[in-house]
Amino acid sequence: MTPSPRSGTVIRFATASGGSIDVHVDEDNPAVRDLLTMLPLTLSFEDFKGVEKIAYPPREIRTAGSPPSSAGAGDLAIYVPWGDIAFFYRGERGAPSANIVRLGVYDASRKQLEALEDGEVTVTILDRGLTARNDS
């Protein structure tokens, strides 16, 4: 039996200013599982085109085998061609694309999102929320 993430898994992004954004994992896919193996880690975020806050992990997150997704406001996702993690805060979800792998959902104010750019952001697992999956 291999543990796999479920909707109870929560990842915390703690900002340099003392705030945090919690992301509720809503997918069990290879990208989510690989990201969880990298935690804890530290990221630096920047704004991208007034639509998302992006950061680059220290290594590429493996996305092979993850289903095509879409992302819109309130989603955390990976943009596969660039390998960045993105907090989408504007826009609606479009058609699923192989370029997007959705990781989970979050609820944050504009102030909380802006704080992501104030310095290093520490990413940890707040609640592992694991379930057993029988691979036999």
Side-chain angles (χ1 to χ4, degrees), residues 8-75:
T9 301
V10 178
I11 303 169
R12 175 161 284 174
F13 290 74
T15 64
S17 58
S20 64
I21 298 174
D22 294 342
V23 175
H24 297 265
V25 173
D26 63 351
E27 297 286 337
D28 176 11
N29 64 50
V32 168
R33 290 191 298 270
D34 192 39
L35 174 61
L36 293 177
T37 68
M38 296 173 68
L39 303 182
L41 65 89
T42 302
L43 299 171
S44 295
F45 281 86
E46 62 186 271
D47 192 74
F48 184 72
K49 294 190 174 187
V51 174
E52 57 197 89
K53 303 290 183 184
I54 64 170
Y56 294 89
R59 67 164 174 80
E60 183 178 328
I61 296 173
R62 291 183 285 272
T63 59
S66 298
S69 304
S70 62
D75 290 325

Side-chain angles (χ1 to χ4, degrees), residues 45-131:
F45 281 86
E46 62 186 271
D47 192 74
F48 184 72
K49 294 190 174 187
V51 174
E52 57 197 89
K53 303 290 183 184
I54 64 170
Y56 294 89
R59 67 164 174 80
E60 183 178 328
I61 296 173
R62 291 183 285 272
T63 59
S66 298
S69 304
S70 62
D75 290 325
L76 180 73
I78 298 170
Y79 182 61
V80 177
W82 294 353
D84 63 300
I85 295 173
F87 279 91
F88 286 83
Y89 62 90
R90 277 212 175 113
E92 300 293 323
R93 287 189 191 132
S97 165
N99 288 335
I100 299 287
V101 175
R102 191 165 155 224
L103 301 170
V105 297
Y106 72 91
D107 183 23
S109 68
R110 180 171 287 302
K111 184 177 178 179
Q112 287 173 298
L113 290 165
E114 289 171 356
L116 290 171
E117 296 178 80
D118 290 344
E120 292 186 335
V121 174
T122 303
V123 187
T124 57
I125 297 173
L126 181 62
D127 181 2
R128 197 125 179 84
L130 294 178
T131 186

